[in-house]
């Protein structure tokens, strides 16, 4: 089975149904997400917070991203796999951006890369696209530079901010991105951007009018409970389920109930008898 291509993703803006995207960081979850028919799997640099325990996405390195992208790529048959370019892997120079982006494709089996920014990264997006690397944009709240945006909060509420986000989205689309993430922007602004652009918008905290939606998998499964943004819907409370399983295991081992006969291997009695007699 071939993976979904950027051309098919773009066509979905007109044809529907809406695009679905989730993050994955390892083989098991990537398999489950792919088998569920989700269209795009993002190996997000949210990896830094939900898997590696950093306070932000800023410290995430290329090597960390590639390691997890490889695991995800090994699992995925149908979805498009997108590698998130970490902070400072595309800002220093276009050559650097090209070199790093190509590693996601050549070494890690990704189909595309995502990078954050608007007008400021448009030339870089153009360079990658010209070289044959499909690029997904990301505007609005850009977590890698959240501190200069005043923290993790909704963006584009006043006219100047809204105009900036609108122009950023236009610039990334004109530079050749095949889709764009809109993070934490008011639903009306996201609606306007969606109807203006010819490429699909994928919202996270950007309301229902985007062409698709993305969530961090660990958030929507209730696996990451350090903080929960307003836009997250928890489809299951896996933290509680998992803790319950761990407690049952501990209780059963301590009580000598696990492993039972069912989980044990039989046979070898004669060998044991022989060893016992040798010991005499
Ligand atoms: O890193 C990530 O998971 C992301 C999504 C929030 C879009 O960029």
């Amino acid at each position: 089975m071939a993976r979904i291509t950027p051309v098919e993703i773009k066509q979905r803006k007109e044809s529907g149904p809406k695009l679905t995207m989730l993050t994955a960081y390892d083989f098991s979850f990537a398999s489950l997400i792919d088998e569920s028919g989700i269209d795009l799997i993002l190996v997000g640099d949210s990896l830094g917070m939900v898997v590696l325990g950093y306070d932000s996405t800023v410290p995430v390195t290329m090597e960390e991203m590639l390691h997890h992208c490889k695991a995800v790529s090994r699992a995925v048959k149908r979805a498009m796999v997108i590698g998130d370019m970490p902070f400072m892997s595309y800002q220093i120079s276009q050559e650097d951006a090209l070199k790093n982006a190509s590693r996601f494709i050549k070494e890690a089996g990704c189909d595309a890369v995502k990078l954050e920014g608007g007008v400021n990264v448009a030339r870089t997006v153009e360079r990658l696209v010209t070289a044959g690397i499909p690029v997904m944009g990301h505007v609005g709240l850009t977590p890698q530079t959240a501190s200069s945006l005043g923290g993790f909060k909704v963006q584009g509420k006043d006219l100047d901010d809204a105009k900036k986000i609108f122009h950023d989205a236009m610039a990334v689309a004109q530079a050749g991105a095949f889709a764009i993430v809109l993070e934490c922007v008011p639903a009306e602004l996201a609606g306007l951007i969606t109807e203006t652009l010819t490429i699909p918008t994928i919202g996270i905290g950007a309301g229902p009018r985007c062409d698709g939606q993305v969530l961090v998998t660990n958030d929507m499964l209730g696996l990451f409970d350090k903080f929960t943004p307003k836009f997250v819907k928890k489809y299951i409370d896996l933290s509680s389920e998992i803790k319950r399983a761990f407690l049952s295991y501990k209780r059963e081992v301590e009580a000598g109930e696990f492993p039972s006969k069912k989980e044990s291997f039989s046979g070898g009695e004669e060998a044991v008898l022989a060893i016992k007699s040798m010991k005499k």
Side-chain angles (χ1 to χ4, degrees):
M1 185 189 286
R3 290 187 186 163
I4 297 177
T5 64
V7 172
E8 291 168 285
I9 297 296
K10 282 202 258 184
Q11 284 166 349
R12 291 274 289 277
K13 183 161 182 106
E14 299 309 322
S15 70
K18 289 207 182 217
L19 292 158
T20 50
M21 175 156 119
L22 284 173
T23 63
Y25 317 100
D26 66 28
F27 185 90
S28 306
F29 274 97
S31 302
L32 292 171
I33 294 170
D34 196 36
E35 285 161 16
S36 306
I38 298 296
D39 302 306
L40 303 118
I41 297 183
L42 172 69
V43 187
D45 63 353
S46 46
L47 161 79
M49 295 169 87
V50 302
V51 177
L52 302 178
Y54 299 142
D55 285 339
S56 76
T57 57
V58 170
V60 177
T61 65
M62 272 299 294
E63 299 312 318
E64 285 165 342
M65 287 305 304
L66 293 174
H67 178 73
H68 288 268
C69 285
K70 286 179 193 173
V72 168
S73 290
R74 283 182 210 118
V76 176
K77 296 189 171 55
R78 175 191 170 270
M80 174 187 279
V81 178
I82 301 161
D84 211 0
M85 296 194 70
F87 187 53
M88 285 301 145
S89 69
Y90 54 94
Q91 292 92 337
I92 293 168
S93 71
Q94 286 185 18
E95 297 316 303
D96 222 30
L98 194 53
K99 197 175 75 208
N100 286 323
S102 69
R103 294 189 71 194
F104 279 96
I105 312 290
K106 288 183 63 158
E107 292 175 35
C110 292
D111 306 297
V113 297
K114 176 171 85 57
L115 51 84
E116 296 181 7
V119 173
N120 60 327
V121 295
R123 297 281 304 277
T124 303
V125 171
E126 202 176 327
R127 181 77 199 273
L128 301 188
V129 173
T130 306
I133 299 175
V135 177
M136 174 177 275
H138 184 158
V139 303
L141 175 63
T142 44
Q144 292 173 5
T145 46
S147 53
S148 44
L149 297 172
F152 286 85
K153 58 179 194 171
V154 65
Q155 303 293 310
K157 276 180 140 176
D158 65 40
L159 178 61
D160 283 348
D161 270 3
K163 272 190 348 206
K164 181 180 181 313
I165 293 170
F166 185 84
H167 288 131
D168 279 342
M170 293 284 286
V172 171
Q174 274 162 10
F178 69 93
I180 186 163
V181 169
L182 305 180
E183 179 163 356
C184 261
V185 297
E188 274 306 301
L189 176 60
L192 176 67
I193 294 172
T194 299
E195 68 194 35
T196 307
L197 296 187
T198 57
I199 58 168
T201 58
I202 303 190
I204 176 162
R209 283 167 60 197
C210 296
D211 300 302
Q213 295 294 327
V214 55
L215 282 175
V216 170
T217 295
N218 297 47
D219 286 340
M220 64 91 79
L221 296 179
L223 267 177
F224 183 72
D225 46 16
K226 285 214 173 107
F227 61 87
T228 306
K230 171 183 160 64
F231 57 75
V232 170
K233 176 170 175 182
K234 283 193 186 178
Y235 284 81
I236 186 171
D237 181 11
L238 264 195
S239 294
S240 308
E241 295 286 320
I242 290 174
K243 276 185 211 150
R244 246 195 304 280
F246 290 159
L247 282 173
S248 300
Y249 166 73
K250 176 177 155 63
R251 200 181 327 105
E252 288 187 10
V253 170
E254 287 173 354
E257 291 167 13
F258 175 83
S260 69
K261 223 172 162 185
K262 191 167 153 250
E263 293 95 14
S264 304
F265 299 102
S266 57
E269 291 84 355
E270 282 174 19
V272 171
L273 281 176
I275 293 167
K276 276 185 181 166
S277 67
M278 276 157 52
K279 278 175 40 186
K280 279 184 193 153

